Amino acid sequence: LAAIDNNARLPAAAIMISPWIDLANTSPTIRSHAHLDQRVSQDSLNVMRGLFLQDGTSTDHPLVSPLKGDVAKFPPCQIYCGGSEVLIGDATAFATKLAQHNRHVEAYFLPEMEHGWSFINPEFPLSKFTTAKVVAFIKEHARKRTSAGIVIRHKRTIYAQF
């Protein structure tokens, strides 16, 4: 969103895995999924928010809570979130907002997965599924760029710059 606000060159695409999109923590799933997600909680989100916003910036600022920002020029986006995550409400709300603004969005909500599922066990079938989809998305949107894009694969980590 900062690139949009500053008329800077936008990334070719965005990939969000378990996104925390509203730092005000207003999503009902933060409470309703608390018993399902053993890695993220209301308390841990509040602690992280305090660390991120040490200068007193409001959680209503769109660069803090992108859910509250203008997404009319947002690049194509892939969103992944586990069905047991407390952050699934943020992920679904942002996917909905992008779709309502006629933006390209692919959203994957993976049943019974809690926060961190895609990194904890890279050999897990849903982790492999996610990696394959992310790689394909990067390649697709890197080809659409008129300038050269760089995709580097190092072991299991993929770094991309466009």
Side-chain angles (χ1 to χ4, degrees):
L1 292 177
I4 293 169
D5 288 349
N6 292 302
N7 294 316
R9 182 176 177 203
L10 298 178
I15 299 167
M16 300 178 172
I17 300 177
S18 303
W20 185 23
I21 301 294
D22 178 12
L23 272 66
N25 297 331
T26 60
S27 171
T29 61
I30 292 174
R31 286 172 297 289
S32 68
H33 283 53
H35 68 288
L36 301 172
D37 193 338
Q38 301 303 305
R39 293 183 184 91
V40 178
S41 67
Q42 176 82 50
D43 289 341
S44 67
L45 291 174
N46 289 339
V47 167
M48 288 187 291
R49 180 180 59 206
L51 294 171
F52 291 151
L53 302 179
Q54 293 180 8
D55 64 355
T57 302
S58 170
T59 57
D60 289 331
H61 194 289
L63 296 181
V64 172
S65 297
L67 186 58
K68 298 174 182 178
D70 180 5
V71 297
K73 296 179 183 175
F74 206 81
C77 183
Q78 258 188 357
I79 300 173
Y80 297 86
C81 197
S84 295
E85 291 194 48
V86 299
L87 296 174
I88 194 165
D90 282 23
T92 56
F94 198 66
T96 299
K97 183 170 184 167
L98 290 172
Q100 288 172 339
H101 284 83
N102 203 30
R103 306 309 305 154
H104 175 107
V105 61
E106 298 174 19
Y108 300 90
F109 304 109
L110 305 161
E112 300 178 10
M113 296 294 107
E114 60 184 271
H115 193 76
W117 55 269
S118 60
F119 302 107
I120 291 171
N121 185 352
E123 297 303 316
F124 189 65
L126 287 176
S127 297
K128 288 181 177 183
F129 165 83
T130 301
T131 299
K133 296 296 271 182
V134 166
V135 168
F137 192 74
I138 289 170
K139 288 180 178 179
E140 172 189 355
H141 292 283
R143 279 193 297 271
K144 292 180 181 178
R145 270 284 188 203
T146 55
S147 62
I150 302 168
V151 178
I152 302 169
R153 184 178 176 105
H154 174 70
K155 296 183 183 175
R156 296 186 191 283
T157 306
I158 299 166
Y159 305 92
Q161 179 180 356
F162 303 105

